[in-house]
Amino acid sequence: MKTVKNFVSPEHEMFKESVRSFLPRYAIIPFKQTDGTEYTSPLREGDIVREGQILAGPKDILSSDGANIHSSVPGLVEEIVNCTLPNGNLGLAAKIRTRGAFSYLGKELTTFENNMLSIESLLESFKTKGVVNTFETNAVSLSNQINSCKLESNRFVVVRMFDEDKSRYTDTFIAEHYTQEVAEGARIIARAFDADGIIFAIPKDSNTNIKPMEGFPYCIIEIDTSKYPCGYKQNLLKEIKKSTETDELSIFSKINHRSLFVDTETAFSTYEAIVLNKPVVDRFVHINGRCVKSSVMFRARIGQTIADLVEQCGGFRITPAKIVINGLIAGNAISNLEIPVTKEIKSVTFLSSMELYNQKSNPCVRCGNCRMVCPEQLSPDLLYKHINAGFHLTKMMKATALLCAQCSLCNSVCPSRLSLSQAIAILKESQK
């Protein structure tokens, strides 16, 4: 496997604690926050809602097992609006004026015993409480992901305890400050998945201390996070197989790509949903970049605009030329500050014009850089030409897109500034 040493040198602070975001005057909560499921909402203008109330759910209630959308604030639904989502699409959302008492915020939450819950009850709770898996670029319903897995044996849950994109710090922060909650959330996910074991992937020389777990075999695999890529599914699979060749860990060497891979945000949300009976109404969001006056790890309300979080950071010291969500390597640019926080947002980075290289794209010069750097030994240039120029590829060649981890190394070395990784993502989706 090809890797690049110190591909990104993170400049962010190692936060000692997170900060609760200010309560927004308005929360703009989109009715759809995951891919692959159509949502519907009974809300009307003038409705009064509670914190944690279900605002939208899967359109086909009988057959779908998506993740419900909840109100992050109590208040009045002033209007149903079209808003820009983090992926650039438009979607319907409820604009809620905050007022009234909170159901969860500021309350001491009672813990619930969950060991007696059946697999069916856990999966229904994942759906009802709105738990999604944010391990990959697009958030997906955790209950849907588990239900769609056809593995009959060798079922494992892999928990990535660090950020796959070193330019952000969100998953690493959760792993360091909520280790046992993440471990308990992983155990609950493993029960729902009917797993044979749990694998925790932690950074090499990490101080992460996972206490012994009852009911499930588990192992801890150390990952050299100074290399890139190291945190995508393909990378983790190779490291796990290499690290479990000993007799005592041989059970874990049977893992394959159809096992369940989650991040710490997902495990922590599962813990809160099942143990604290709390729906997903907030997220950890890392605000950073030289343009903002201070970098902050927020516990932000879903539906709160990015502009609200910037204001709490003290505003801008430099006008940003580009806004990137979820990391500088594999993230995507957004157009404005009024985009609301959704379940898939982990970080927002503000870049100045001095930090931007030439963004103009040119025709492919056939340098071969993308092929040489690709960890999976793909041909990104050919896959790109198939999507953008109709270049004919065999069925087998097109299927190689499924091997892409979306690490975006091909983009970084392309002298023509072609959107190789994005084109492969489109082809990858068409192959599923």
Side-chain angles (χ1 to χ4, degrees):
M1 179 179 70
K2 301 174 185 175
T3 57
V4 179
K5 200 78 169 177
N6 297 319
F7 180 58
V8 170
S9 298
E11 298 180 356
H12 50 69
E13 301 175 30
M14 303 304 167
F15 301 101
K16 294 182 179 179
E17 59 184 4
S18 60
V19 175
R20 284 275 182 192
S21 61
F22 296 150
L23 293 179
R25 184 182 178 190
Y26 290 96
I28 302 172
I29 305 176
F31 293 152
K32 183 176 180 180
Q33 299 185 29
T34 59
D35 284 348
T37 304
E38 291 299 322
Y39 284 75
T40 185
S41 173
L43 281 187
R44 298 290 182 270
E45 293 181 12
D47 286 351
I48 302 295
V49 296
R50 307 180 311 278
E51 181 196 17
Q53 179 177 325
I54 296 176
L55 302 184
K59 192 172 185 179
D60 188 348
I61 298 176
L62 295 178
S63 63
S64 180
D65 43 13
N68 289 332
I69 307 298
H70 301 78
S71 179
S72 61
V73 296
L76 172 71
V77 179
E78 290 210 340
E79 56 181 324
I80 306 300
V81 299
N82 260 313
C83 77
T84 304
L85 304 176
N87 61 9
N89 295 331
L90 288 175
L92 291 177
K95 184 178 181 181
I96 302 172
R97 181 197 289 256
T98 304
R99 72 180 193 188
F102 282 78
S103 306
Y104 302 96
L105 183 64
K107 305 292 174 64
E108 185 175 347
L109 302 181
T110 304
T111 58
F112 291 86
E113 178 57 49
N114 61 84
N115 286 328
M116 299 304 292
L117 291 177
S118 65
I119 290 176
E120 292 74 18
S121 296
L122 288 173
L123 292 175
E124 182 62 26
S125 293
F126 293 168
K127 172 187 172 181
T128 304
K129 295 296 191 296
V131 180
V132 301
N133 187 2
T134 53
F135 178 87
E136 295 186 324
T137 304
N138 298 321
V140 295
S141 160
L142 183 60
S143 62
N144 184 49
Q145 197 171 24
I146 292 174
N147 276 326
S148 62
C149 179
K150 304 302 181 183
L151 274 177
E152 296 183 359
S153 60
N154 301 323
R155 298 167 66 95
F156 297 97
V157 172
V158 180
V159 188
R160 184 182 61 211
M161 303 287 281
F162 57 91
D163 293 271
E164 81 281 12
D165 189 322
K166 293 290 287 184
S167 66
R168 69 167 190 260
Y169 183 55
T170 315
D171 283 313
T172 305
F173 175 85
I174 298 171
E176 292 176 351
H177 293 79
Y178 299 93
T179 308
Q180 299 315 317
E181 289 87 346
V182 168
E184 176 61 15
R187 190 181 70 84
I188 294 169
I189 293 171
R191 284 180 51 217
F193 189 57
D194 194 20
D196 296 310
I198 306 172
I199 302 168
F200 293 94
I202 69 171
K204 194 174 182 180
D205 301 322
S206 169
N207 293 323
T208 303
N209 181 24
I210 298 171
K211 296 179 181 177
M213 304 181 66
E214 295 182 4
F216 279 98
Y218 76 99
C219 72
I220 297 173
I221 303 298
E222 291 191 343
I223 306 294
D224 183 358
T225 55
S226 67
K227 296 179 180 179
Y228 184 84
C230 66
Y232 296 94
K233 183 185 291 188
Q234 289 92 325
N235 315 135
L236 296 177
L237 276 171
K238 291 173 183 175
E239 290 298 322
I240 291 168
K241 286 183 176 294
K242 184 172 69 174
S243 301
T244 55
E245 293 175 345
T246 61
D247 290 341
E248 60 181 25
L249 296 178
S250 60
I251 180 178
F252 298 102
S253 66
K254 299 175 182 178
I255 189 173
N256 64 57
H257 69 281
R258 290 189 292 172
S259 288
L260 182 61
F261 290 74
V262 302
D263 54 11
T264 58
E265 184 94 71
T266 303
F268 184 77
S269 294
T270 301
Y271 168 82
E272 290 201 318
I274 304 301
V275 178
L276 301 182
N277 200 29
K278 175 189 170 186
V280 180
V281 293
D282 55 17
R283 300 305 260 178
F284 288 95
V285 181
H286 176 205
I287 302 293
N288 64 98
R290 296 179 184 178
C291 294
V292 288
K293 290 186 177 178
S294 59
S295 295
V296 180
M297 179 65 69
F298 279 113
R299 191 87 187 265
R301 313 300 291 179
I302 287 176
Q304 192 162 18
T305 65
I306 292 171
D308 284 341
L309 300 182
V310 171
E311 183 180 355
Q312 191 172 340
C313 289
F316 294 120
R317 60 161 60 98
I318 305 171
T319 301
K322 196 167 191 177
I323 309 169
V324 181
I325 63 168
N326 292 347
L328 297 179
I329 307 172
N332 63 282
I334 58 174
S335 56
N336 63 70
L337 295 172
E338 297 306 316
I339 289 176
V341 171
T342 62
K343 296 178 184 180
E344 67 183 6
I345 290 185
K346 294 184 178 183
S347 71
V348 186
T349 305
F350 298 93
L351 299 173
S352 67
S353 57
M354 294 182 294
E355 297 174 280
L356 296 180
Y357 296 99
N358 178 19
Q359 300 295 299
K360 183 180 178 181
S361 62
N362 294 293
C364 176
V365 295
R366 301 181 182 179
C367 64
N369 288 350
C370 60
R371 298 190 191 188
M372 287 189 289
V373 79
C374 179
E376 308 307 324
Q377 300 180 336
L378 306 183
S379 298
D381 55 333
L382 298 183
L383 299 175
Y384 174 86
K385 285 176 65 177
H386 173 74
I387 288 295
N388 288 276
F391 183 76
H392 176 71
L393 291 178
T394 64
K395 184 177 180 180
M396 184 176 296
M397 187 67 178
K398 288 187 286 187
T400 62
L402 294 171
L403 301 174
C404 177
Q406 303 301 131
C407 70
S408 296
L409 275 177
C410 52
N411 284 16
S412 70
V413 299
C414 179
S416 297
R417 310 300 299 167
L418 299 177
S419 53
L420 301 169
S421 179
Q422 291 81 354
I424 297 172
I426 295 172
L427 181 56
K428 183 177 180 178
E429 192 62 32
S430 70
Q431 296 296 304
K432 292 181 178 179

